[in-house]
Amino acid sequence: MVSVNLGVLHYVLDHIYCTILHRTKIGTPFFSKGWGDTNLELLERMVNQLFPNAACLAWPPAVIKPAWKTKWETNNACLKEGSFATPCEEELVHALPPESRTARVAFLVPKSVPAEKMACVVHLAGTGDHTFERRLKLGAPLLKQNIATMVLESPYYGNRRPIMQRGSKLLCVSDLLLLGKATIDESRSLLHWLEAEAGFSKTGICGLSMGGVHAAMVGALHPTPVATLPFLAPHSAVVPFCEGLYQHVTAWDALKEDASHPLAKCNGEVTLEQVKEKLRSVLSLTDVTRFPVPKDPNAVIFVAATDDGYIPKHSVLELQKAWPGSEVRWVTGGHVSSFFLHGDAFRKAIVDGLNRLSWRKSSP
């Protein structure tokens, strides 16, 4: 009986957190400026062209040349921050806001250990994670196991946030897809840099919530085995925005009234149900089950919460079913409480995922 009550408490906490953070009248809802017009058409075309050819994407990806600045160093570790031009194709770069066209990363690495004897994991941001600190805190204890941490600042977040955007509330539906596509491109180039330039013998990709969705996509597209570690992540953005708590903080009226969208050209008044169905159709482009199975699904570990108010269990299990051989681990808690209480479980998944990979042989 106690466990049931605790489960309800975690679930209710997620709803309270969403209400306080997103549903008050202080801030704007998601997509207050509508669909995004031509940017949405561009992204729908790009994603649709990706399938069924995702497994044949060109490799290596666009080369990046990060410019580094040391923030601090000790006898055992060093933290650098770097920046590089986003490696997205030109048409996509022009669609991004100017503030988002330069990627920023933080790189926490052990000292006095050759790269070929280390692993590095790229950490992607969840919704609302605008800084490096939370993910650096997650990765820092792994230094003792010779695991470095690379933290990518998402487009539309932190220093890359457009000047007109309030907090994490993306202005257009197209912004969500642009954020995801740019994150995938930047992450693929970062993994290539870590392997080909920095010389790491094992690499991984992880993320919490939205970052977990992107991590799953990047892991699926990588041409060689990589530890893929989605934490508290749905299989698609449809889940939080069309079925979960974010449907209560979406600007449905703005989407309905946006004259730039094809729905507005239909005869008769556009209904709310038509708008919701269109959003579901657009966000289905983010369905990770459409992506290829990662090269080594045994190195895929999902960590999910038992009483997650944002991500239902069926969404996690859909991913596991699509990727036979992958593992799901459950932590007791909700979406919000698990962020703060289960760092050890996330770190253990990182270590275990990397341990399931073979060390790459150094080039002669």
Side-chain angles (χ1 to χ4, degrees), residues 287-338:
D287 188 340
V288 184
T289 64
R290 300 175 66 197
F291 282 66
V293 177
K295 293 298 181 291
D296 185 358
N298 185 52
V300 178
I301 302 175
F302 302 101
V303 179
T306 55
D307 301 285
D308 195 320
Y310 289 76
I311 313 300
K313 291 181 179 179
H314 76 80
S315 182
V316 181
L317 296 176
E318 280 190 44
L319 262 175
Q320 184 191 31
K321 182 179 178 182
W323 291 355
S326 61
E327 178 186 356
V328 175
R329 297 179 180 179
W330 298 96
V331 294
T332 301
H335 200 76
V336 175
S337 60
S338 295

Side-chain angles (χ1 to χ4, degrees), residues 230-293:
F231 303 145
L232 310 177
H235 74 285
S236 164
V238 169
V239 175
F241 283 99
C242 299
E243 301 171 5
L245 292 177
Y246 284 167
Q247 66 180 311
H248 303 298
V249 288
T250 294
W252 296 110
D253 288 342
L255 294 177
K256 183 178 177 181
E257 294 169 7
D258 185 3
S260 69
H261 194 265
L263 278 175
K265 300 173 184 177
C266 300
N267 293 327
E269 183 180 355
V270 176
T271 67
L272 181 59
E273 287 307 311
Q274 285 177 306
V275 173
K276 288 185 175 182
E277 187 55 37
K278 178 58 183 178
L279 184 62
R280 177 181 290 272
S281 174
V282 170
L283 295 186
S284 68
L285 297 172
T286 67
D287 188 340
V288 184
T289 64
R290 300 175 66 197
F291 282 66
V293 177

Side-chain angles (χ1 to χ4, degrees), residues 6-334:
L6 284 176
V8 171
L9 179 62
H10 288 302
Y11 187 82
V12 169
L13 177 62
D14 283 345
H15 283 259
I16 293 173
Y17 180 83
C18 182
T19 299
I20 294 174
L21 195 64
H22 298 298
R23 296 176 69 176
T24 60
K25 298 299 182 182
I26 298 173
T28 57
F30 285 102
F31 316 138
S32 61
K33 298 297 183 182
W35 296 93
D37 200 8
T38 55
N39 283 349
L40 184 61
E41 296 173 9
L42 164 67
L43 286 154
E44 286 184 293
R45 185 177 77 250
M46 282 186 169
V47 176
N48 283 323
Q49 287 173 349
L50 181 66
F51 301 102
N53 299 315
C56 303
L57 281 181
W59 189 263
V63 174
I64 57 172
K65 297 180 179 179
W68 297 105
K69 181 179 180 180
T70 299
K71 302 298 291 184
W72 56 257
E73 60 181 317
T74 66
N75 291 333
N76 301 315
C78 176
L79 176 66
K80 298 179 181 180
E81 290 187 4
S83 61
F84 56 91
T86 185
C88 301
E89 54 195 273
E90 186 175 357
E91 195 174 13
L92 196 63
V93 171
H94 289 311
L96 286 167
E99 300 91 338
S100 293
R101 294 173 187 172
T102 298
R104 295 180 64 247
V105 289
F107 190 26
L108 181 62
V109 62
K111 290 179 66 176
S112 304
V113 182
E116 63 268 19
K117 294 185 178 180
M118 287 194 292
C120 185
V121 175
V122 178
H123 293 238
L124 303 182
T127 302
D129 190 354
H130 288 261
T131 68
F132 297 137
E133 280 71 21
R134 184 186 298 171
R135 286 168 284 162
L136 287 174
K137 184 177 179 181
L138 177 64
L142 299 173
L143 289 170
K144 296 178 180 179
Q145 300 185 58
N146 293 333
I147 299 173
T149 293
M150 178 77 79
V151 179
L152 174 64
E153 181 180 70
S154 288
Y156 294 88
Y157 277 27
N159 289 299
R160 306 178 71 182
R161 178 170 58 87
I163 191 169
M164 297 301 293
Q165 179 182 304
R166 294 284 301 275
S168 307
K169 301 296 179 57
L170 302 175
L171 296 175
C172 301
V173 174
S174 62
D175 291 345
L176 182 63
L177 299 182
L178 276 165
L179 185 160
K181 182 64 168 66
T183 297
I184 292 167
D185 289 349
E186 292 167 7
S187 298
R188 297 182 76 230
S189 290
L190 277 171
L191 286 173
H192 179 254
W193 183 87
L194 287 167
E195 295 167 2
E197 298 296 327
F200 285 88
S201 292
K202 290 185 180 183
T203 53
I205 184 91
C206 77
L208 289 155
S209 194
M210 174 184 73
V213 177
H214 298 150
M217 294 174 175
V218 174
L221 296 173
H222 203 65
T224 58
V226 60
T228 303
L229 309 150
F231 303 145
L232 310 177
H235 74 285
S236 164
V238 169
V239 175
F241 283 99
C242 299
E243 301 171 5
L245 292 177
Y246 284 167
Q247 66 180 311
H248 303 298
V249 288
T250 294
W252 296 110
D253 288 342
L255 294 177
K256 183 178 177 181
E257 294 169 7
D258 185 3
S260 69
H261 194 265
L263 278 175
K265 300 173 184 177
C266 300
N267 293 327
E269 183 180 355
V270 176
T271 67
L272 181 59
E273 287 307 311
Q274 285 177 306
V275 173
K276 288 185 175 182
E277 187 55 37
K278 178 58 183 178
L279 184 62
R280 177 181 290 272
S281 174
V282 170
L283 295 186
S284 68
L285 297 172
T286 67
D287 188 340
V288 184
T289 64
R290 300 175 66 197
F291 282 66
V293 177
K295 293 298 181 291
D296 185 358
N298 185 52
V300 178
I301 302 175
F302 302 101
V303 179
T306 55
D307 301 285
D308 195 320
Y310 289 76
I311 313 300
K313 291 181 179 179
H314 76 80
S315 182
V316 181
L317 296 176
E318 280 190 44
L319 262 175
Q320 184 191 31
K321 182 179 178 182
W323 291 355
S326 61
E327 178 186 356
V328 175
R329 297 179 180 179
W330 298 96
V331 294
T332 301

